[in-house]
Amino acid sequence: MAFPVQRLRRLRSTESIRSLVRETRLTPAQFVLPLFACPGEGVRKDISSMPGHAQLSVDLLLPECADCAELGIGGVILFGIPEEKDESASGAYDPHGITQRAVRAIKKEFPKLLVMTDVCNCEYTSHGHCGFVRDGKVDNDLTLDWLAKTAVSHVCAGADIVAPSDMMDGRVGAIRDALDAAGFHGTPILSYAAKYASAFYGPFREAAESAPQFGDRRSYQMDCANGREAMREIELDLEEGADMIMVKPAMAYLDVIRAARERFDVPLGAYQVSGEFSMIMAAARNGWIEQDRAMMESLTSIRRAGADFILTYFAKAASRALA
Ligand SMILES: [Zn+2]
């Protein structure tokens, strides 16, 4: 039976009907807010390409976390900008490094707030690459040791979940072994399993001061043309012990999120990256799109594609819109 018996507009006629039959819903508990920790006290360095976001000293991260707790946001993920960068990324695994200090302070004040840490080296290396550079190339196996030490130091500081984002082969296994050896059998790993070499990371590099000083990250992050390879990345990370997986970026990779959802029965995250956020903000500031509607539509599309949770710079704004 078709028209005129079938009229799909019937179920769109009022907001109350639309709300009843809505297939995809958003709640603050599904959002994770990225935060950038920097040294000092009372320091707020606005990130010009990401309105409303800033590098914050540890003391100023606390009010942000208070907002997250109050809004019921799922958690925060921390990135650190160290005092000093060097060839060996020593700030990444320093027990008193910037991320470790931030985790300690946040968990002390907000023990129930879920704190994830990004585990990578690019914010901490003088060359801005995600690993150990030898002869101008990132050495995979030598980098694993840094990552494992960094993850353990984050968990020692109180991190609830560690999230390796470097895209080295074998990092999840190396981190799992190190965590278990340190007695942290219960700490989950959220793997940035399918992370693409993307132009949409542009604003983040200003935020995290992590632009590579030479070359690019295409020898370790994925080629944007590849979908099947993402399934292999995810499969291998799960075999190595990842508890949760992530696709990054989100909006240009909704097909990858969908494919991962259909194939793997583990919690699936997606990272709505800085460029996705900044594009919406820039267009809205020019009066070209409605900010709140574009924000909610973009987040809904990521959930509809199959993501269980979303790392997003809109975490607070969207939670407020949902309240
Ligand atoms: Zn990195």
Side-chain angles (χ1 to χ4, degrees):
M1 257 184 296
F3 180 84
V5 173
Q6 298 289 353
R7 289 179 184 268
L8 296 189
R9 288 184 56 191
R10 285 183 197 122
L11 299 183
R12 292 178 207 144
S13 58
T14 66
E15 176 50 28
S16 45
I17 294 180
R18 291 193 293 273
S19 171
L20 182 73
V21 301
R22 191 156 289 141
E23 297 176 29
T24 307
R25 290 173 199 276
L26 298 171
T27 66
Q30 297 157 341
F31 303 141
V32 176
L33 178 68
L35 291 172
F36 301 97
C38 72
E41 237 194 284
V43 179
R44 179 187 178 94
K45 289 191 210 161
D46 286 321
I47 301 157
S48 61
S49 53
M50 298 172 66
H53 291 271
Q55 294 180 8
L56 298 168
S57 53
V58 172
D59 56 317
L60 296 189
L61 288 173
L62 298 177
E64 286 291 315
C65 293
D67 288 349
C68 290
E70 199 185 310
L71 289 163
I73 288 172
V76 298
I77 183 162
L78 290 174
F79 297 85
I81 298 106
E83 284 89 346
E84 309 252 330
K85 298 172 188 260
D86 59 30
E87 296 269 293
S88 52
S90 50
Y93 41 83
D94 179 347
H96 305 290
I98 181 67
T99 300
Q100 292 81 353
R101 299 200 306 270
V103 172
R104 265 187 223 106
I106 293 170
K107 289 306 287 188
K108 189 172 168 216
E109 199 84 8
F110 305 100
K112 285 191 199 150
L113 182 69
L114 190 73
V115 174
M116 307 182 180
T117 55
D118 179 85
V119 175
C120 198
N121 300 298
C122 43
E123 296 111 84
Y124 302 92
T125 50
S126 42
H127 45 67
H129 276 286
C130 299
F132 187 106
V133 170
R134 194 161 61 171
D135 304 328
K137 286 186 181 152
V138 174
D139 187 295
N140 189 90
D141 298 12
L142 290 173
T143 302
L144 299 182
D145 177 47
W146 292 358
L147 295 166
K149 283 194 291 189
T150 300
V152 170
S153 73
H154 289 177
V155 180
C156 281
D160 298 299
I161 295 172
V162 288
S165 63
D166 50 284
M167 291 301 281
M168 297 301 121
D169 290 318
R171 80 273 174 71
V172 173
I175 289 172
R176 185 73 270 160
D177 286 348
L179 289 178
D180 289 354
F184 298 123
H185 306 91
T187 304
I189 298 173
L190 165 61
S191 162
Y192 286 66
K195 179 176 177 181
Y196 287 87
S198 170
F200 293 101
Y201 303 149
F204 178 91
R205 300 200 173 150
E206 179 198 350
E209 298 176 9
S210 61
Q213 301 302 302
F214 63 89
D216 55 40
R217 299 201 173 110
R218 286 166 208 256
S219 76
Y220 40 106
Q221 296 176 353
M222 286 181 58
D223 186 326
C224 73
N226 294 357
R228 292 192 302 263
E229 187 189 1
M231 301 303 109
R232 291 194 70 205
E233 281 285 1
I234 292 169
E235 203 167 342
L236 289 170
D237 282 7
L238 291 173
E239 274 172 27
E240 287 176 31
D243 300 278
M244 300 183 280
I245 53 172
M246 194 203 300
V247 174
K248 179 182 180 183
M251 214 152 95
Y253 299 87
L254 294 176
D255 59 319
V256 178
I257 296 173
R258 164 55 56 182
R261 169 75 299 144
E262 283 173 358
R263 191 142 155 186
F264 302 103
D265 291 325
V266 294
L268 170 63
Y271 200 140
Q272 183 182 47
V273 302
S274 57
E276 300 176 63
F277 170 81
S278 298
M279 283 194 303
I280 291 173
M281 295 301 285
R285 289 190 163 203
N286 276 299
W288 296 335
I289 57 172
E290 283 176 53
Q291 184 181 313
D292 277 12
R293 285 188 59 201
M295 166 178 80
M296 297 314 265
E297 189 174 331
S298 65
L299 291 166
T300 301
S301 75
I302 297 165
R303 287 268 303 129
R304 195 189 61 235
D308 296 303
F309 58 94
I310 307 171
L311 287 73
T312 173
Y313 300 96
F314 285 125
K316 282 170 60 177
S319 298
R320 288 199 177 106
L322 289 165

mmCIF file of all heavy atoms in Angstrom, residues 120-123 130 165-166 195 217, ligand 1:
data_model
loop_
_atom_site.group_PDB
_atom_site.id
_atom_site.type_symbol
_atom_site.label_atom_id
_atom_site.label_comp_id
_atom_site.label_asym_id
_atom_site.label_seq_id
_atom_site.Cartn_x
_atom_site.Cartn_y
_atom_site.Cartn_z
ATOM 1 N N CYS A 120 50.227 10.033 23.709
ATOM 2 C CA CYS A 120 51.011 10.210 22.488
ATOM 3 C C CYS A 120 52.231 11.059 22.827
ATOM 4 O O CYS A 120 52.408 11.478 23.968
ATOM 5 C CB CYS A 120 50.201 10.857 21.368
ATOM 6 S SG CYS A 120 50.986 10.578 19.751
ATOM 7 N N ASN A 121 53.062 11.290 21.850
ATOM 8 C CA ASN A 121 54.308 12.008 22.095
ATOM 9 C C ASN A 121 54.413 13.343 21.376
ATOM 10 O O ASN A 121 55.313 14.116 21.645
ATOM 11 C CB ASN A 121 55.497 11.130 21.661
ATOM 12 C CG ASN A 121 55.536 9.832 22.427
ATOM 13 O OD1 ASN A 121 55.674 9.836 23.649
ATOM 14 N ND2 ASN A 121 55.372 8.730 21.726
ATOM 15 N N CYS A 122 53.478 13.610 20.453
ATOM 16 C CA CYS A 122 53.693 14.760 19.564
ATOM 17 C C CYS A 122 53.669 16.105 20.278
ATOM 18 O O CYS A 122 54.284 17.056 19.825
ATOM 19 C CB CYS A 122 52.703 14.738 18.404
ATOM 20 S SG CYS A 122 51.030 14.335 18.878
ATOM 21 N N GLU A 123 52.960 16.196 21.415
ATOM 22 C CA GLU A 123 53.006 17.456 22.155
ATOM 23 C C GLU A 123 54.330 17.612 22.901
ATOM 24 O O GLU A 123 54.629 18.682 23.408
ATOM 25 C CB GLU A 123 51.861 17.535 23.182
ATOM 26 C CG GLU A 123 50.466 17.562 22.603
ATOM 27 C CD GLU A 123 49.725 16.267 22.924
ATOM 28 O OE1 GLU A 123 49.154 16.132 24.008
ATOM 29 O OE2 GLU A 123 49.754 15.374 22.047
ATOM 30 N N CYS A 130 54.985 11.885 16.427
ATOM 31 C CA CYS A 130 54.355 11.098 17.484
ATOM 32 C C CYS A 130 55.276 10.019 18.053
ATOM 33 O O CYS A 130 54.862 9.247 18.916
ATOM 34 C CB CYS A 130 53.062 10.463 16.982
ATOM 35 S SG CYS A 130 51.853 11.699 16.455
ATOM 36 N N SER A 165 46.933 7.458 20.811
ATOM 37 C CA SER A 165 46.514 8.102 19.560
ATOM 38 C C SER A 165 47.617 8.143 18.526
ATOM 39 O O SER A 165 47.495 8.790 17.499
ATOM 40 C CB SER A 165 46.052 9.537 19.844
ATOM 41 O OG SER A 165 47.135 10.288 20.347
ATOM 42 N N ASP A 166 48.714 7.435 18.783
ATOM 43 C CA ASP A 166 49.927 7.592 17.982
ATOM 44 C C ASP A 166 49.914 6.833 16.666
ATOM 45 O O ASP A 166 50.648 7.150 15.755
ATOM 46 C CB ASP A 166 51.089 7.058 18.811
ATOM 47 C CG ASP A 166 50.711 5.667 19.330
ATOM 48 O OD1 ASP A 166 49.909 5.592 20.290
ATOM 49 O OD2 ASP A 166 51.139 4.669 18.729
ATOM 50 N N LYS A 195 42.619 6.111 12.949
ATOM 51 C CA LYS A 195 42.911 7.547 12.974
ATOM 52 C C LYS A 195 43.548 7.921 11.642
ATOM 53 O O LYS A 195 44.588 7.379 11.270
ATOM 54 C CB LYS A 195 43.848 7.872 14.129
ATOM 55 C CG LYS A 195 44.216 9.346 14.194
ATOM 56 C CD LYS A 195 45.078 9.636 15.408
ATOM 57 C CE LYS A 195 45.506 11.091 15.431
ATOM 58 N NZ LYS A 195 46.365 11.373 16.583
ATOM 59 N N ARG A 217 52.394 13.227 8.902
ATOM 60 C CA ARG A 217 52.163 12.013 9.697
ATOM 61 C C ARG A 217 51.603 10.867 8.854
ATOM 62 O O ARG A 217 51.050 9.915 9.376
ATOM 63 C CB ARG A 217 51.205 12.334 10.853
ATOM 64 C CG ARG A 217 51.765 13.396 11.792
ATOM 65 C CD ARG A 217 51.121 13.375 13.157
ATOM 66 N NE ARG A 217 51.804 14.296 14.055
ATOM 67 C CZ ARG A 217 51.293 15.432 14.521
ATOM 68 N NH1 ARG A 217 50.052 15.779 14.212
ATOM 69 N NH2 ARG A 217 51.992 16.203 15.315
HETATM 70 ZN ZN ZN B 1 50.620 12.256 18.282
#
